[in-house]
Amino acid sequence: MNTARTPDGPLDVPTIDLSRFREGSAAERAAVAAELDRAASTIGLMRVSGHRIDASVVAGLGAAMDGFFGLPMWQKKALRPASAEYNRGYTPPRAERLSLQPGASSPAEEFEAFNVGRSAEDFPGLGLDELQYAPNLWPLRPESFETGVMAWFGEAARVAREVTSVMAVALGLDEKFFAGYQDHALEVLRLNNYRVPAGETTTSGEPVGLGAHTDSGILTVLWADPDIRGLQVLDDSGVWHDVIASPGTLLVNLGDLLARWTNDRWISAQHRVLAPTDREGLLVRRRSAAFFHDGNADAVISVLPGCATGEEPVHYESVTVADHLAAKLHAPRTPLDERVPG
Ligand SMILES: O=C(O)CCC(=O)C(=O)O
Ligand SMILES: [Fe+2]
């Protein structure tokens, strides 16, 4: 069994080998699709290996994050979006927004982020909404920031599409089924930096960092600093399980749109991020890069015919990606979810 659940330890997250799907025999491809189906229908989360992202691209992403988040606060704040509706640029830590004195912050207040995404100008002639497909804000420093971040963005977008090909096969559909939903997809890369509060070395284990949420779109390709505790996934008995990134693999979690398409055969799992700690339980900085592959804004998501048969009623009305995202953004949220537009 692929999903050995250990109540207090790390969850056994299945690994999907994309190279086996890309290059394997028909039988191997079917086996990879079956593994994905099992991961998607039990925990909504998988590791992805064989993704072919060059180590230099990972290094470029890390250098961009270190360079930008290491800038003085006044320089980072210059990259804030003009309005909160506009999901681009810098989100300062709550500690900074509340003007707390140094040393008075907690891990929950030390989370900062930077967003980049697809812009209307990337798809000339489609007349896309310029708020959803907003232009990016780029810092002048570090100089390699845009190149490093966009190299990662391109690779994450490719991996997202490769995973959706495996998903189509797993659902008994044509391998290219999702292509018509992702040719002008809303896609946002959120660079997250969970800083260590000044003077603190340990944590109470409270749910701080990023509050419990599900991702809204099709799927999320997640890179995170390996071997650091922080991300947790909720199971159906109410237990939170650690999910720790490992070197060389990515994490992919399903978003709400796949739960809708599959009439809940597949899971968009609730997850959260605790104050990050190392193996000794000491607070450490943690970086992550969450690539949200949300689909074309105008695409209509309806329960797939194969998932609406039998006694199971249809759980969801048809909805456009844009309407689904807007409804999610305006749904009542707990204070910890305040910074989760994804
Ligand atoms: O930092 C992480 O590991 C997860 C981040 C996340 O869930 C998100 O940005 O939606
Ligand atoms: Fe998330």
Side-chain angles (χ1 to χ4, degrees):
M1 174 129 159
N2 264 331
T3 53
R5 293 182 187 208
T6 46
D8 294 316
L11 192 70
D12 182 15
V13 182
T15 301
I16 305 304
D17 182 355
L18 281 184
S19 61
R20 227 177 125 212
F21 187 81
R22 212 183 283 120
E23 290 141 27
S25 63
E28 281 180 304
R29 288 162 61 82
V32 174
E35 284 163 18
L36 182 147
D37 184 39
R38 203 154 44 238
S41 49
T42 54
I43 52 176
L45 176 74
M46 64 200 88
R47 294 185 199 278
V48 167
S49 66
H51 49 63
R52 278 201 185 145
I53 301 183
D54 201 86
S56 66
V57 177
V58 186
L61 174 72
M65 291 176 80
D66 289 347
F68 178 76
F69 289 123
L71 293 176
M73 186 53 70
W74 67 268
Q75 288 188 29
K76 293 189 281 188
K77 280 188 169 174
L79 273 295
R80 278 178 300 183
S83 127
E85 284 177 292
Y86 167 41
N87 189 18
R88 296 289 183 272
Y90 182 61
T91 308
R94 198 154 26 159
E96 296 288 334
R97 282 182 276 159
L98 301 178
S99 308
L100 298 177
Q101 296 303 310
S105 66
S106 75
E109 290 153 353
E110 288 293 345
F111 163 75
E112 60 185 344
F114 191 92
N115 287 315
V116 309
R118 296 279 183 205
S119 309
E121 66 189 25
D122 299 336
F123 308 102
L126 295 189
L128 299 173
D129 181 316
E130 303 231 347
L131 190 60
Q132 291 170 316
Y133 294 86
N136 283 311
L137 296 169
W138 294 112
L140 292 175
R141 295 208 162 57
E143 273 178 27
S144 60
F145 186 82
E146 181 174 347
T147 329
V149 169
M150 286 317 286
W152 180 266
F153 194 104
E155 289 294 76
R158 174 183 60 77
V159 169
R161 283 160 181 75
E162 287 198 31
V163 173
T164 56
S165 298
V166 188
M167 288 176 162
V169 174
L171 292 167
L173 302 166
D174 185 272
E175 189 177 333
K176 299 207 166 33
F177 172 81
F178 290 105
Y181 295 88
Q182 55 193 183
D183 55 352
H184 52 278
L186 285 166
E187 293 182 300
V188 170
L189 174 65
R190 179 159 64 206
L191 309 175
N192 296 309
N193 189 38
Y194 304 88
R195 311 190 302 180
V196 180
E200 290 194 37
T201 54
T202 55
T203 164
S204 61
E206 290 295 298
V208 294
L210 202 62
H213 66 282
T214 59
D215 291 350
S216 306
I218 300 176
L219 59 80
T220 305
V221 177
L222 181 72
W223 174 88
D225 268 320
D227 301 324
I228 298 178
R229 182 169 182 251
L231 177 63
Q232 293 193 317
V233 169
L234 186 64
D235 76 14
D236 55 5
S237 57
V239 176
W240 287 98
H241 296 268
D242 290 325
V243 176
I244 297 175
S246 46
T249 65
L250 296 167
L251 289 161
V252 169
N253 63 287
L254 279 63
D256 301 343
L257 294 179
L258 277 164
R260 293 185 79 109
W261 254 320
T262 62
N263 208 29
D264 295 321
R265 167 171 159 195
W266 286 358
I267 297 166
S268 171
Q270 277 204 57
H271 53 284
R272 67 183 186 184
V273 182
L274 301 183
T277 50
D278 65 12
R279 285 172 193 280
E280 276 73 51
L282 299 177
L283 281 171
V284 284
R285 173 178 176 236
R286 176 174 180 275
R287 300 167 301 173
S288 72
F291 180 82
F292 302 105
H293 175 61
D294 290 354
N296 299 347
D298 54 353
V300 177
I301 310 299
S302 305
V303 172
L304 295 166
C307 298
T309 50
E311 286 110 60
E312 194 65 13
V314 171
H315 300 175
Y316 301 103
E317 300 284 311
S318 297
V319 71
T320 63
V321 170
D323 286 349
H324 165 76
L325 295 177
K328 184 88 181 287
L329 204 59
H330 298 115
R333 279 171 287 162
T334 61
L336 274 174
D337 287 334
E338 189 187 320
R339 293 157 304 187
V340 185

